[in-house]
Amino acid sequence: MAILLILNPISGDIDKSNFLKVLKNKLGKKVNTLNIFKTTGKNDLELLKQHLQEHTYNKVLVAGGDGTVKLAAECLLNTSIPIGVIPLGSANGLATDLELPTTLDASINVALGQNTRKIDALFINGNLCLHMSDLGINAALIKSYERSSVRGKIGYLFAGIPTLLNNKNPQNFSIETNEQKLIRHGIMLGIANSRRYGTGALVNPEGIIDDGYFELLIFKELNIKEIIKTLRDEKSYNSSFLEIISCQQAKICCETPTDFQIDGEYLGKISSVEIKIEQKALNIMI
Ligand SMILES: Nc1ncnc2c1ncn2[C@@H]1O[C@H](COP(=O)(O)OP(=O)(O)OP(=O)(O)O)[C@@H](O)[C@H]1O
């Protein structure tokens, strides 16, 4: 058995030495090879692709946040090599969405276990999206947070207040799916491969991450009561707050250039997106 561990030394501001100790103890003599690929933040994608061309592994473990999981996913798309996620980032959206355990011991057990699930991958304007993307107010919040000098939840809150006050205006989104053409008015349009945001908000209760479908979530207004429902895991939303459209392919045009994010990474303002799905393209340990 040969394992590659992709380790982000800085993710989540977490020292990874304890994790490495626990992992090595658990592995004992069960593996012949444990190679560690430490990310540097420079050319990681090219270097990892090259490493994977030159070596053969039975499993790849990822210790980091969403960005590091995505790095692994980009290299392992449409292969059967399972990815074991150990959520050690400041944002662990995919792990939260897949309901992976949060304690170190349990998450290592899952990553080293036998259960796998093949999940769908979305491509939005050619960029890989593993769980959630959106156009509008949430992406604007991520932009303000990335530019703010205050980190953590307090930073998100501080950065968020002026953004929320300046972004109350809804706009028209033109939507063309594989089945229909529509125009919808909203403050934000979400593109969901799965069910919840990394914060835990359950915005797409019927979403299934391996069914070959994704959902467009049209948030029509900023309704605090309904937002609290998503955080409480309630499943029924007022249709004047949220409309959900399930599809296999879509093109969305915005009235004006709009803030855009994929899996928590701000990608600038854009006027249109094209979304495609590849069913069961990634094999994840669950
Ligand atoms: N050794 C390193 N030094 C600095 N940055 C790094 C290093 N390794 C990876 N990175 C950066 O870490 C980011 C990915 O972090 P990841 O999402 O896994 O964890 P995170 O704690 O959630 O991060 P963030 O809070 O920035 O989203 C990428 O931007 C990558 O370039």
Side-chain angles (χ1 to χ4, degrees), residues 214-249:
F214 61 92
E215 281 74 35
L216 301 177
L217 312 173
I218 301 133
F219 293 86
K220 298 184 176 171
E221 56 178 14
L222 195 64
N223 182 327
I224 302 297
K225 198 170 135 204
E226 294 292 326
I227 292 171
I228 290 171
K229 278 194 193 172
T230 69
L231 294 169
R232 282 199 192 138
D233 264 17
E234 288 183 34
K235 287 192 177 176
S236 61
Y237 304 117
N238 187 329
S239 61
S240 68
F241 165 64
L242 173 61
E243 178 182 355
I244 300 180
I245 298 167
S246 200
C247 50
Q248 292 171 297
Q249 204 176 317

mmCIF file of all heavy atoms in Angstrom, residues 214-249:
data_model
loop_
_atom_site.group_PDB
_atom_site.id
_atom_site.type_symbol
_atom_site.label_atom_id
_atom_site.label_comp_id
_atom_site.label_asym_id
_atom_site.label_seq_id
_atom_site.Cartn_x
_atom_site.Cartn_y
_atom_site.Cartn_z
ATOM 1 N N PHE A 214 -27.036 19.525 -10.665
ATOM 2 C CA PHE A 214 -26.689 20.576 -9.708
ATOM 3 C C PHE A 214 -27.905 21.486 -9.597
ATOM 4 O O PHE A 214 -28.857 21.361 -10.378
ATOM 5 C CB PHE A 214 -25.430 21.348 -10.161
ATOM 6 C CG PHE A 214 -25.566 22.044 -11.483
ATOM 7 C CD1 PHE A 214 -25.998 23.361 -11.547
ATOM 8 C CD2 PHE A 214 -25.264 21.387 -12.675
ATOM 9 C CE1 PHE A 214 -26.121 24.007 -12.763
ATOM 10 C CE2 PHE A 214 -25.386 22.033 -13.899
ATOM 11 C CZ PHE A 214 -25.819 23.342 -13.945
ATOM 12 N N GLU A 215 -27.889 22.361 -8.604
ATOM 13 C CA GLU A 215 -29.041 23.242 -8.400
ATOM 14 C C GLU A 215 -28.645 24.708 -8.531
ATOM 15 O O GLU A 215 -27.554 25.112 -8.118
ATOM 16 C CB GLU A 215 -29.663 23.022 -7.000
ATOM 17 C CG GLU A 215 -30.546 21.785 -6.920
ATOM 18 C CD GLU A 215 -29.767 20.482 -6.911
ATOM 19 O OE1 GLU A 215 -28.672 20.484 -6.316
ATOM 20 O OE2 GLU A 215 -30.217 19.491 -7.529
ATOM 21 N N LEU A 216 -29.556 25.467 -9.136
ATOM 22 C CA LEU A 216 -29.429 26.927 -9.138
ATOM 23 C C LEU A 216 -30.318 27.426 -8.006
ATOM 24 O O LEU A 216 -31.486 27.035 -7.903
ATOM 25 C CB LEU A 216 -29.910 27.510 -10.473
ATOM 26 C CG LEU A 216 -29.173 27.001 -11.708
ATOM 27 C CD1 LEU A 216 -29.789 27.585 -12.972
ATOM 28 C CD2 LEU A 216 -27.683 27.336 -11.637
ATOM 29 N N LEU A 217 -29.753 28.255 -7.132
ATOM 30 C CA LEU A 217 -30.492 28.746 -5.966
ATOM 31 C C LEU A 217 -30.701 30.245 -6.154
ATOM 32 O O LEU A 217 -29.728 31.007 -6.149
ATOM 33 C CB LEU A 217 -29.690 28.525 -4.683
ATOM 34 C CG LEU A 217 -29.075 27.125 -4.475
ATOM 35 C CD1 LEU A 217 -28.185 27.128 -3.245
ATOM 36 C CD2 LEU A 217 -30.173 26.072 -4.328
ATOM 37 N N ILE A 218 -31.935 30.646 -6.350
ATOM 38 C CA ILE A 218 -32.186 32.073 -6.559
ATOM 39 C C ILE A 218 -32.693 32.666 -5.246
ATOM 40 O O ILE A 218 -33.800 32.368 -4.802
ATOM 41 C CB ILE A 218 -33.196 32.309 -7.696
ATOM 42 C CG1 ILE A 218 -32.614 31.685 -8.975
ATOM 43 C CG2 ILE A 218 -33.437 33.802 -7.927
ATOM 44 C CD1 ILE A 218 -33.572 30.848 -9.714
ATOM 45 N N PHE A 219 -31.810 33.459 -4.621
ATOM 46 C CA PHE A 219 -32.170 34.133 -3.368
ATOM 47 C C PHE A 219 -32.790 35.468 -3.758
ATOM 48 O O PHE A 219 -32.132 36.339 -4.326
ATOM 49 C CB PHE A 219 -30.935 34.349 -2.488
ATOM 50 C CG PHE A 219 -30.363 33.064 -1.970
ATOM 51 C CD1 PHE A 219 -29.440 32.342 -2.730
ATOM 52 C CD2 PHE A 219 -30.741 32.556 -0.737
ATOM 53 C CE1 PHE A 219 -28.912 31.150 -2.263
ATOM 54 C CE2 PHE A 219 -30.217 31.371 -0.258
ATOM 55 C CZ PHE A 219 -29.296 30.661 -1.035
ATOM 56 N N LYS A 220 -34.078 35.610 -3.448
ATOM 57 C CA LYS A 220 -34.800 36.760 -3.987
ATOM 58 C C LYS A 220 -34.669 38.003 -3.132
ATOM 59 O O LYS A 220 -34.763 39.116 -3.633
ATOM 60 C CB LYS A 220 -36.261 36.383 -4.180
ATOM 61 C CG LYS A 220 -36.338 35.235 -5.188
ATOM 62 C CD LYS A 220 -37.734 34.863 -5.523
ATOM 63 C CE LYS A 220 -37.704 33.784 -6.591
ATOM 64 N NZ LYS A 220 -38.999 33.208 -6.835
ATOM 65 N N GLU A 221 -34.502 37.819 -1.834
ATOM 66 C CA GLU A 221 -34.393 38.982 -0.950
ATOM 67 C C GLU A 221 -33.524 38.622 0.239
ATOM 68 O O GLU A 221 -33.280 37.442 0.519
ATOM 69 C CB GLU A 221 -35.779 39.407 -0.465
ATOM 70 C CG GLU A 221 -36.504 38.264 0.221
ATOM 71 C CD GLU A 221 -37.860 38.636 0.776
ATOM 72 O OE1 GLU A 221 -38.378 39.690 0.418
ATOM 73 O OE2 GLU A 221 -38.382 37.851 1.580
ATOM 74 N N LEU A 222 -33.059 39.667 0.932
ATOM 75 C CA LEU A 222 -32.259 39.459 2.137
ATOM 76 C C LEU A 222 -33.237 39.328 3.305
ATOM 77 O O LEU A 222 -33.691 40.326 3.851
ATOM 78 C CB LEU A 222 -31.338 40.672 2.323
ATOM 79 C CG LEU A 222 -30.193 40.495 3.293
ATOM 80 C CD1 LEU A 222 -29.228 39.433 2.796
ATOM 81 C CD2 LEU A 222 -29.454 41.824 3.429
ATOM 82 N N ASN A 223 -33.584 38.090 3.637
ATOM 83 C CA ASN A 223 -34.604 37.866 4.656
ATOM 84 C C ASN A 223 -33.949 37.157 5.846
ATOM 85 O O ASN A 223 -33.651 35.960 5.796
ATOM 86 C CB ASN A 223 -35.717 37.008 4.035
ATOM 87 C CG ASN A 223 -36.856 36.756 4.995
ATOM 88 O OD1 ASN A 223 -36.643 36.651 6.199
ATOM 89 N ND2 ASN A 223 -38.058 36.652 4.456
ATOM 90 N N ILE A 224 -33.699 37.932 6.898
ATOM 91 C CA ILE A 224 -32.921 37.417 8.037
ATOM 92 C C ILE A 224 -33.591 36.182 8.658
ATOM 93 O O ILE A 224 -32.936 35.194 8.986
ATOM 94 C CB ILE A 224 -32.740 38.520 9.118
ATOM 95 C CG1 ILE A 224 -32.035 39.733 8.501
ATOM 96 C CG2 ILE A 224 -31.949 38.006 10.327
ATOM 97 C CD1 ILE A 224 -30.636 39.503 7.980
ATOM 98 N N LYS A 225 -34.944 36.225 8.753
ATOM 99 C CA LYS A 225 -35.666 35.101 9.361
ATOM 100 C C LYS A 225 -35.399 33.811 8.562
ATOM 101 O O LYS A 225 -35.134 32.739 9.118
ATOM 102 C CB LYS A 225 -37.166 35.432 9.361
ATOM 103 C CG LYS A 225 -37.961 34.592 10.317
ATOM 104 C CD LYS A 225 -39.373 35.128 10.439
ATOM 105 C CE LYS A 225 -40.337 33.958 10.373
ATOM 106 N NZ LYS A 225 -41.662 34.348 9.921
ATOM 107 N N GLU A 226 -35.439 33.914 7.231
ATOM 108 C CA GLU A 226 -35.232 32.731 6.383
ATOM 109 C C GLU A 226 -33.754 32.283 6.428
ATOM 110 O O GLU A 226 -33.461 31.096 6.376
ATOM 111 C CB GLU A 226 -35.643 33.032 4.939
ATOM 112 C CG GLU A 226 -37.126 33.291 4.753
ATOM 113 C CD GLU A 226 -37.988 32.039 4.977
ATOM 114 O OE1 GLU A 226 -37.555 30.927 4.655
ATOM 115 O OE2 GLU A 226 -39.117 32.195 5.497
ATOM 116 N N ILE A 227 -32.828 33.274 6.536
ATOM 117 C CA ILE A 227 -31.406 32.905 6.626
ATOM 118 C C ILE A 227 -31.169 32.109 7.913
ATOM 119 O O ILE A 227 -30.451 31.105 7.923
ATOM 120 C CB ILE A 227 -30.501 34.162 6.566
ATOM 121 C CG1 ILE A 227 -30.584 34.776 5.153
ATOM 122 C CG2 ILE A 227 -29.048 33.826 6.892
ATOM 123 C CD1 ILE A 227 -29.924 36.113 4.984
ATOM 124 N N ILE A 228 -31.817 32.535 8.998
ATOM 125 C CA ILE A 228 -31.670 31.805 10.263
ATOM 126 C C ILE A 228 -32.198 30.376 10.117
ATOM 127 O O ILE A 228 -31.609 29.427 10.625
ATOM 128 C CB ILE A 228 -32.345 32.576 11.423
ATOM 129 C CG1 ILE A 228 -31.508 33.841 11.693
ATOM 130 C CG2 ILE A 228 -32.460 31.734 12.687
ATOM 131 C CD1 ILE A 228 -32.127 34.836 12.639
ATOM 132 N N LYS A 229 -33.268 30.202 9.343
ATOM 133 C CA LYS A 229 -33.796 28.838 9.111
ATOM 134 C C LYS A 229 -32.728 27.948 8.464
ATOM 135 O O LYS A 229 -32.581 26.792 8.807
ATOM 136 C CB LYS A 229 -35.000 28.892 8.175
ATOM 137 C CG LYS A 229 -36.306 29.229 8.834
ATOM 138 C CD LYS A 229 -37.382 28.895 7.814
ATOM 139 C CE LYS A 229 -38.736 29.421 8.132
ATOM 140 N NZ LYS A 229 -39.666 29.221 7.022
ATOM 141 N N THR A 230 -31.962 28.513 7.484
ATOM 142 C CA THR A 230 -30.932 27.690 6.816
ATOM 143 C C THR A 230 -29.884 27.249 7.833
ATOM 144 O O THR A 230 -29.348 26.159 7.751
ATOM 145 C CB THR A 230 -30.215 28.435 5.665
ATOM 146 O OG1 THR A 230 -29.398 29.482 6.204
ATOM 147 C CG2 THR A 230 -31.157 28.995 4.642
ATOM 148 N N LEU A 231 -29.598 28.131 8.802
ATOM 149 C CA LEU A 231 -28.580 27.802 9.805
ATOM 150 C C LEU A 231 -29.108 26.794 10.816
ATOM 151 O O LEU A 231 -28.341 26.105 11.479
ATOM 152 C CB LEU A 231 -28.117 29.076 10.523
ATOM 153 C CG LEU A 231 -27.368 30.061 9.623
ATOM 154 C CD1 LEU A 231 -27.183 31.392 10.313
ATOM 155 C CD2 LEU A 231 -26.016 29.495 9.192
ATOM 156 N N ARG A 232 -30.430 26.713 10.934
ATOM 157 C CA ARG A 232 -31.033 25.773 11.883
ATOM 158 C C ARG A 232 -31.383 24.449 11.231
ATOM 159 O O ARG A 232 -32.099 23.640 11.798
ATOM 160 C CB ARG A 232 -32.333 26.371 12.418
ATOM 161 C CG ARG A 232 -32.141 27.403 13.459
ATOM 162 C CD ARG A 232 -33.470 27.502 14.170
ATOM 163 N NE ARG A 232 -33.528 28.657 15.020
ATOM 164 C CZ ARG A 232 -34.576 29.453 15.122
ATOM 165 N NH1 ARG A 232 -35.662 29.193 14.420
ATOM 166 N NH2 ARG A 232 -34.564 30.452 15.939
ATOM 167 N N ASP A 233 -30.976 24.259 9.957
ATOM 168 C CA ASP A 233 -31.245 23.002 9.252
ATOM 169 C C ASP A 233 -32.711 22.804 8.907
ATOM 170 O O ASP A 233 -33.145 21.684 8.659
ATOM 171 C CB ASP A 233 -30.772 21.790 10.072
ATOM 172 C CG ASP A 233 -29.387 21.356 9.625
ATOM 173 O OD1 ASP A 233 -28.716 22.149 8.953
ATOM 174 O OD2 ASP A 233 -29.013 20.219 9.927
ATOM 175 N N GLU A 234 -33.504 23.881 8.921
ATOM 176 C CA GLU A 234 -34.903 23.711 8.523
ATOM 177 C C GLU A 234 -34.955 23.537 7.012
ATOM 178 O O GLU A 234 -34.136 24.083 6.287
ATOM 179 C CB GLU A 234 -35.718 24.931 8.966
ATOM 180 C CG GLU A 234 -35.912 24.935 10.464
ATOM 181 C CD GLU A 234 -36.785 26.079 10.946
ATOM 182 O OE1 GLU A 234 -37.710 26.469 10.219
ATOM 183 O OE2 GLU A 234 -36.520 26.578 12.049
ATOM 184 N N LYS A 235 -35.914 22.743 6.549
ATOM 185 C CA LYS A 235 -35.890 22.370 5.129
ATOM 186 C C LYS A 235 -36.876 23.112 4.249
ATOM 187 O O LYS A 235 -36.809 23.044 3.041
ATOM 188 C CB LYS A 235 -36.153 20.868 4.997
ATOM 189 C CG LYS A 235 -34.961 20.060 5.443
ATOM 190 C CD LYS A 235 -35.097 18.622 5.046
ATOM 191 C CE LYS A 235 -33.853 17.871 5.446
ATOM 192 N NZ LYS A 235 -33.957 16.467 5.168
ATOM 193 N N SER A 236 -37.851 23.807 4.858
ATOM 194 C CA SER A 236 -38.825 24.452 3.973
ATOM 195 C C SER A 236 -38.643 25.962 4.030
ATOM 196 O O SER A 236 -38.653 26.567 5.104
ATOM 197 C CB SER A 236 -40.240 24.075 4.383
ATOM 198 O OG SER A 236 -40.463 24.524 5.683
ATOM 199 N N TYR A 237 -38.430 26.528 2.859
ATOM 200 C CA TYR A 237 -38.223 27.968 2.793
ATOM 201 C C TYR A 237 -39.390 28.618 2.083
ATOM 202 O O TYR A 237 -39.999 28.026 1.198
ATOM 203 C CB TYR A 237 -36.920 28.277 2.059
ATOM 204 C CG TYR A 237 -35.752 27.594 2.701
ATOM 205 C CD1 TYR A 237 -35.010 26.642 2.005
ATOM 206 C CD2 TYR A 237 -35.419 27.856 4.026
ATOM 207 C CE1 TYR A 237 -33.966 25.986 2.611
ATOM 208 C CE2 TYR A 237 -34.373 27.206 4.635
ATOM 209 C CZ TYR A 237 -33.644 26.277 3.933
ATOM 210 O OH TYR A 237 -32.622 25.624 4.538
ATOM 211 N N ASN A 238 -39.620 29.862 2.452
ATOM 212 C CA ASN A 238 -40.624 30.673 1.801
ATOM 213 C C ASN A 238 -40.188 30.898 0.342
ATOM 214 O O ASN A 238 -39.047 31.282 0.090
ATOM 215 C CB ASN A 238 -40.647 31.993 2.588
ATOM 216 C CG ASN A 238 -41.739 32.879 2.141
ATOM 217 O OD1 ASN A 238 -42.119 32.854 0.968
ATOM 218 N ND2 ASN A 238 -42.248 33.658 3.069
ATOM 219 N N SER A 239 -41.084 30.650 -0.622
ATOM 220 C CA SER A 239 -40.670 30.751 -2.031
ATOM 221 C C SER A 239 -40.371 32.197 -2.440
ATOM 222 O O SER A 239 -39.734 32.433 -3.458
ATOM 223 C CB SER A 239 -41.718 30.134 -2.944
ATOM 224 O OG SER A 239 -42.909 30.847 -2.774
ATOM 225 N N SER A 240 -40.793 33.175 -1.623
ATOM 226 C CA SER A 240 -40.402 34.555 -1.946
ATOM 227 C C SER A 240 -38.969 34.825 -1.490
ATOM 228 O O SER A 240 -38.389 35.863 -1.791
ATOM 229 C CB SER A 240 -41.357 35.564 -1.318
ATOM 230 O OG SER A 240 -41.205 35.526 0.072
ATOM 231 N N PHE A 241 -38.378 33.872 -0.766
ATOM 232 C CA PHE A 241 -36.981 34.005 -0.332
ATOM 233 C C PHE A 241 -36.053 33.206 -1.252
ATOM 234 O O PHE A 241 -35.044 33.711 -1.721
ATOM 235 C CB PHE A 241 -36.863 33.500 1.121
ATOM 236 C CG PHE A 241 -35.451 33.240 1.591
ATOM 237 C CD1 PHE A 241 -34.537 34.287 1.696
ATOM 238 C CD2 PHE A 241 -35.033 31.954 1.941
ATOM 239 C CE1 PHE A 241 -33.230 34.042 2.137
ATOM 240 C CE2 PHE A 241 -33.736 31.711 2.371
ATOM 241 C CZ PHE A 241 -32.837 32.763 2.471
ATOM 242 N N LEU A 242 -36.424 31.941 -1.529
ATOM 243 C CA LEU A 242 -35.509 31.063 -2.272
ATOM 244 C C LEU A 242 -36.260 30.176 -3.254
ATOM 245 O O LEU A 242 -37.219 29.508 -2.895
ATOM 246 C CB LEU A 242 -34.747 30.182 -1.251
ATOM 247 C CG LEU A 242 -33.845 29.079 -1.792
ATOM 248 C CD1 LEU A 242 -32.725 29.653 -2.663
ATOM 249 C CD2 LEU A 242 -33.215 28.289 -0.644
ATOM 250 N N GLU A 243 -35.778 30.194 -4.526
ATOM 251 C CA GLU A 243 -36.323 29.269 -5.541
ATOM 252 C C GLU A 243 -35.180 28.355 -5.984
ATOM 253 O O GLU A 243 -34.054 28.821 -6.205
ATOM 254 C CB GLU A 243 -36.849 30.069 -6.736
ATOM 255 C CG GLU A 243 -37.382 29.176 -7.849
ATOM 256 C CD GLU A 243 -37.858 29.982 -9.072
ATOM 257 O OE1 GLU A 243 -37.877 31.236 -9.038
ATOM 258 O OE2 GLU A 243 -38.190 29.318 -10.075
ATOM 259 N N ILE A 244 -35.459 27.072 -6.117
ATOM 260 C CA ILE A 244 -34.404 26.112 -6.470
ATOM 261 C C ILE A 244 -34.740 25.436 -7.800
ATOM 262 O O ILE A 244 -35.854 24.929 -7.984
ATOM 263 C CB ILE A 244 -34.244 25.049 -5.352
ATOM 264 C CG1 ILE A 244 -33.876 25.737 -4.031
ATOM 265 C CG2 ILE A 244 -33.183 24.015 -5.729
ATOM 266 C CD1 ILE A 244 -33.691 24.809 -2.844
ATOM 267 N N ILE A 245 -33.765 25.451 -8.727
ATOM 268 C CA ILE A 245 -33.967 24.812 -10.035
ATOM 269 C C ILE A 245 -32.865 23.773 -10.218
ATOM 270 O O ILE A 245 -31.678 24.097 -10.140
ATOM 271 C CB ILE A 245 -33.872 25.856 -11.172
ATOM 272 C CG1 ILE A 245 -34.966 26.909 -11.010
ATOM 273 C CG2 ILE A 245 -33.945 25.194 -12.543
ATOM 274 C CD1 ILE A 245 -34.756 28.139 -11.882
ATOM 275 N N SER A 246 -33.260 22.527 -10.460
ATOM 276 C CA SER A 246 -32.291 21.454 -10.627
ATOM 277 C C SER A 246 -31.995 21.269 -12.113
ATOM 278 O O SER A 246 -32.914 21.278 -12.923
ATOM 279 C CB SER A 246 -32.928 20.181 -10.048
ATOM 280 O OG SER A 246 -31.950 19.257 -9.762
ATOM 281 N N CYS A 247 -30.733 21.125 -12.493
ATOM 282 C CA CYS A 247 -30.430 20.960 -13.921
ATOM 283 C C CYS A 247 -29.092 20.255 -14.146
ATOM 284 O O CYS A 247 -28.375 19.952 -13.188
ATOM 285 C CB CYS A 247 -30.459 22.301 -14.644
ATOM 286 S SG CYS A 247 -29.505 23.581 -13.866
ATOM 287 N N GLN A 248 -28.797 20.001 -15.422
ATOM 288 C CA GLN A 248 -27.559 19.281 -15.761
ATOM 289 C C GLN A 248 -26.577 20.163 -16.513
ATOM 290 O O GLN A 248 -25.425 19.787 -16.716
ATOM 291 C CB GLN A 248 -27.896 18.068 -16.619
ATOM 292 C CG GLN A 248 -28.671 17.013 -15.845
ATOM 293 C CD GLN A 248 -29.177 15.925 -16.749
ATOM 294 O OE1 GLN A 248 -29.989 16.182 -17.633
ATOM 295 N NE2 GLN A 248 -28.700 14.722 -16.539
ATOM 296 N N GLN A 249 -27.063 21.309 -16.945
ATOM 297 C CA GLN A 249 -26.235 22.239 -17.707
ATOM 298 C C GLN A 249 -26.909 23.602 -17.631
ATOM 299 O O GLN A 249 -28.145 23.661 -17.622
ATOM 300 C CB GLN A 249 -26.211 21.779 -19.164
ATOM 301 C CG GLN A 249 -25.014 22.258 -19.926
ATOM 302 C CD GLN A 249 -25.024 21.660 -21.329
ATOM 303 O OE1 GLN A 249 -25.302 20.482 -21.496
ATOM 304 N NE2 GLN A 249 -24.759 22.488 -22.315
#
